Amino acid sequence: MDKTVWTVKQPVDTIPAALVKKYNITDINKKILESRNIFSDEALHDIFIADDIHDPFLMFQMDKAVERIKSAINNNEMILVYGDYDADGVTSVTVLIDCLKSIGANVGWYIPNRFTEGYGPNEAAFREAHEAGVSLIITVDNGIQGHHEINVANELGMDVIITDHHEIGHTLPEAYAILHPMHPEGNYPFHHLAGVGVSYKLGCALTGTQNEHILGFVAIGTISDLVSLTGENRVLVKRGLKALNAHTPPGLKALLDQASFKGEINEETVGFIIGPRLNAVGRLDDARLACELLQIDNEDEAIWMSEQVNQFNTERKEIVSAITEQAIIDVEEKIANGNRFIVVAKEGWNEGVLGIVASRITEQYHLPAIVLNIDYDNDYAKGSARSIPQVSMYDSLDHSRNLISKFGGHHMAAGMTLPIENIEQLEKELNDYLDMQFEGEIIQEIDIDAAIEMADITVKNINDLDKLRPFGTDFSAPLLSLMNAEITDIKQIGQNQAHLKMTVHHTLNALMWNEGSRMNALPAGSYVNLAGTLQLNEWNGNLQPQMIVQHIKVEDMQMIDFRNVHPNTYKFLKDEHAAFIIHPGKSKLNEHYYYYGESVIGYDKVIFRDLPQDESEFLTTYNSLDATFIYFIFHTQKQLYFEGMPTSEKFKQLYKCIMIKPHIDLQKDGGYLLQAIKVSPDTLLFMFDVYAELGLVVKDGHHIKKQEVNKKVDLLSASTYQSRLNQLKLESKLLFSSFDELKQFILTNNE
């Protein structure tokens, strides 16, 4: 059963007519903006007009950091930029290296290996940097949790400047300076910069310019790290995408060529093509390759590097699929045992992709999830966590900090390392902690920006929606609902039939990624509620609207018509967990088989396999159901509908033949009788059965003998006649009626 709750956002106010005119806001955009409570001049300016970024020196200790770096440059000190292995990390390195080199710094960069060093400051790397002569380390996109390592750097005589954006712990490291948009002693106007955003602000402070040429990298890191796409981030991404389209760096151009991408680079290009490929390198190997690709100037080298990066992405997809398949088995078992905070762990799982696997689990089950790789050689488990809006992953892990060796993250995601022997206890504590917060079931709440009709889905309206871009965290692409939509065609597409493609109301294509397995549950003719985003699909020069479906909801009982179709159409049903309603003359194969007239409850799917022998028994069973999907097959061994009931005139004709020939051998005389009466062989046998029941003839195999009767007989009194008449009525009402007629019959007789 669908446990989601859909709510169409209700605006608290409307956009004044003067502002609608000022910002040229179309009807569909007005509806969306109002649903998000964006109706003031200032808020609308931020969406449509804003192009300013904040003075970097508004950030706490920025002046101190700049002074120390410039002193290092003046004294020709060796500076090390210490980064991270994800897209935010490698763009952060790229941005700061560019700025430092432009002002003459003696600078190098270092990105730790996910598998051998892990996330954040690393003592061995810091010691190695000291031995190489480094006297100043600048961390980017990490460092705020590196208390011990920074103390080591201080003891070695190195200064550390931290630039980070992750959750700040109970105490701050003893760094020379800490640049963080949420520094507890600071008052920076915007709190949600990505790591690359903080790195960029330091670069601007150092160079005294806004460094437009590197804003593309800022956009990539900001979008990829899923930080809030509001305020200053929105400006940085807008300007960054503009810069990328004006001049695409050789490495990124080669990477897009590998993906066969043509056209304008937007936030979706970054989110689905560039970001995942940059992340894939650090997930499987050393992330230096991704960082080098971003910084390369030589086109031939860029092509070679992009091929390697693309190969990593292909391999990453295969590994994710394999681990997810294994993990789901454990997840299902844990949910069956009552767990709501999912912790799965296994030896040999690639640590670099566990965040993606955790995301898949969270999306599928709407539960917080931790996925860990077990390393028995070193006696630890390491992995990633993803959460749902109702549950803070950071707070949950912080509650059990004593069981975890190291962790970092925020509300929706985290990474961690812990002793193997603590996994079971961590799982117990996390579930207990969650149970204290939520007594009942955690219901997924889906906020719909606007409910639309088919008439709203036009090329013009979708083009108008693009005026609200860029979309991302906290300003997502408008989620629109299309209610009571008829699926007129449905099929699986893509590799391994992984995706779902539907045609809605005969005209609108609707795609749903990674949900191909749901095809059998949503056959053509189903009426569903769809929630998704709209986009334009270009095919042979024609633009056509399509919906990318994120959620499907079946509100009411769905009746699915499999009557008089080829059995291959519904062969999938034999493997479904469903109740099968069968004729009382058939045998029950297991506990999921029921006879007509019996009550059936507790099934999501119910299949009326056979034609009933009685209308009232069918209605008794149907009226007991609490299912979502009802499948009608109504199979019968012999259909009578097209033969019908022989008329009284034909019965009289047959009796005249019997009078003429009192002894009939069907093998010899059958052909003559069929031609004389003009009925089928089955109907002829039925007529003889009626006469036999009424005592007019005696049947002995294929021999028929006239019987003398001294009373008047009534055809209607024969049970054989009544049985055929009843089946004809049932076939007419249940099997050969139109589907609308069948549904109307059920509705009329529903208790």
Side-chain angles (χ1 to χ4, degrees), residues 702-719:
H702 53 83
H703 293 280
I704 307 292
K705 181 180 179 182
K706 180 179 178 298
Q707 186 83 350
E708 293 296 332
V709 177
N710 296 323
K711 61 179 181 178
K712 188 175 181 181
V713 296
D714 182 4
L715 290 174
L716 295 178
S717 68
S719 61

Side-chain angles (χ1 to χ4, degrees), residues 341 391-401 430 433 437:
F341 203 122
V391 180
S392 169
M393 183 58 71
Y394 184 86
D395 290 347
S396 299
L397 295 175
D398 192 47
H399 181 75
S400 297
R401 181 182 286 270
L430 291 173
Y433 182 66
Q437 295 176 295

Side-chain angles (χ1 to χ4, degrees), residues 37-66:
N37 295 325
I38 298 173
F39 41 73
S40 70
D41 195 357
E42 181 182 2
L44 292 169
H45 180 272
D46 285 345
I47 297 296
F48 294 106
I49 307 295
D51 193 45
D52 296 327
I53 60 175
H54 299 304
D55 181 347
F57 286 97
L58 294 175
M59 193 170 290
F60 185 71
Q61 293 192 328
M62 180 64 79
D63 52 352
K64 185 178 181 182
V66 169

Side-chain angles (χ1 to χ4, degrees), residues 644-659 673 676-679 682-694 696-697 713-716 718 720-722 724-725:
M645 179 69 79
T647 63
S648 58
E649 186 60 35
K650 290 188 181 297
F651 272 102
K652 290 177 182 178
Q653 289 175 353
L654 176 59
Y655 194 73
K656 287 180 181 178
C657 292
I658 296 171
M659 294 287 289
L673 292 173
I677 304 172
K678 292 183 172 51
V679 293
D682 284 341
T683 300
L684 179 64
L685 292 175
F686 159 73
M687 295 170 74
F688 276 125
D689 286 340
V690 172
Y691 278 157
E693 182 184 345
L694 294 173
L696 296 176
V697 299
V713 296
D714 182 4
L715 290 174
L716 295 178
T720 305
Y721 188 94
Q722 287 297 323
R724 183 181 181 99
L725 190 63

Side-chain angles (χ1 to χ4, degrees), residues 362-412:
T362 298
E363 290 167 6
Q364 183 168 341
Y365 298 98
H366 192 65
L367 294 171
I370 297 174
V371 184
L372 301 166
N373 173 56
I374 296 177
D375 185 342
Y376 286 111
D377 293 336
N378 295 294
D379 194 30
Y380 72 79
K382 184 178 179 183
S384 296
R386 297 293 184 269
S387 195
I388 56 179
Q390 297 100 315
V391 180
S392 169
M393 183 58 71
Y394 184 86
D395 290 347
S396 299
L397 295 175
D398 192 47
H399 181 75
S400 297
R401 181 182 286 270
N402 62 306
L403 297 173
I404 306 170
S405 305
K406 185 178 181 181
F407 83 93
H410 46 80
H411 186 92
M412 295 294 286

Side-chain angles (χ1 to χ4, degrees), residues 80 108 124 138 308 362 393 457 478 497 514 557 624 720:
L80 178 69
I138 308 172
Q308 309 309 306
T362 298
M393 183 58 71
I457 305 176
Q497 306 290 283
N514 300 310
M557 187 179 287
S624 73
T720 305

Side-chain angles (χ1 to χ4, degrees), residues 213-439:
H213 66 288
I214 56 173
L215 274 172
F217 300 120
V218 179
I220 291 170
T222 300
I223 294 167
S224 299
D225 214 50
L226 303 178
V227 292
S228 179
L229 204 59
T230 57
E232 188 173 25
N233 279 343
R234 186 171 180 82
V235 176
L236 292 173
V237 168
K238 271 187 179 181
R239 290 171 63 172
L241 292 173
K242 184 177 179 181
L244 282 176
N245 283 292
H247 173 70
T248 309
L252 290 174
K253 183 179 184 305
L255 194 61
L256 291 172
D257 287 343
Q258 282 293 318
S260 301
F261 176 81
K262 307 291 182 187
E264 182 180 357
I265 300 170
N266 60 24
E267 71 274 17
E268 290 185 357
T269 316
V270 174
F272 294 105
I273 298 177
I274 298 174
R277 283 165 171 76
L278 294 177
N279 280 324
V281 183
R283 292 187 187 282
L284 303 186
D285 207 326
D286 194 314
R288 290 186 64 89
L289 175 63
C291 203
E292 289 169 353
L293 178 66
L294 295 181
Q295 298 178 45
I296 198 72
D297 288 326
N298 185 286
E299 292 185 5
D300 292 334
E301 290 184 29
I303 292 171
W304 180 84
M305 287 184 183
S306 67
E307 290 173 351
Q308 309 309 306
V309 170
N310 201 57
Q311 182 56 42
F312 276 120
N313 190 53
T314 300
E315 185 180 350
R316 185 268 304 170
K317 290 179 181 178
E318 295 170 353
I319 294 172
V320 167
S321 295
I323 295 176
T324 302
E325 188 174 335
Q326 296 171 35
I328 289 298
I329 297 172
D330 292 340
V331 172
E332 297 277 7
E333 182 179 349
K334 289 177 182 294
I335 292 175
N337 290 332
N339 285 20
R340 299 195 295 170
F341 203 122
I342 304 302
V343 180
V344 289
K346 189 165 289 186
E347 184 181 16
W349 281 352
N350 186 302
E351 294 168 9
V353 302
L354 298 187
I356 302 175
V357 177
S359 292
R360 297 269 179 94
I361 294 169
T362 298
E363 290 167 6
Q364 183 168 341
Y365 298 98
H366 192 65
L367 294 171
I370 297 174
V371 184
L372 301 166
N373 173 56
I374 296 177
D375 185 342
Y376 286 111
D377 293 336
N378 295 294
D379 194 30
Y380 72 79
K382 184 178 179 183
S384 296
R386 297 293 184 269
S387 195
I388 56 179
Q390 297 100 315
V391 180
S392 169
M393 183 58 71
Y394 184 86
D395 290 347
S396 299
L397 295 175
D398 192 47
H399 181 75
S400 297
R401 181 182 286 270
N402 62 306
L403 297 173
I404 306 170
S405 305
K406 185 178 181 181
F407 83 93
H410 46 80
H411 186 92
M412 295 294 286
M416 75 207 67
T417 302
L418 69 154
I420 297 171
E421 62 267 21
N422 289 357
I423 296 175
E424 187 174 340
Q425 182 62 26
L426 177 65
E427 182 177 26
K428 181 181 183 307
E429 287 194 11
L430 291 173
N431 273 281
D432 290 345
Y433 182 66
L434 186 62
D435 288 343
M436 284 193 300
Q437 295 176 295
F438 297 93
E439 292 184 5

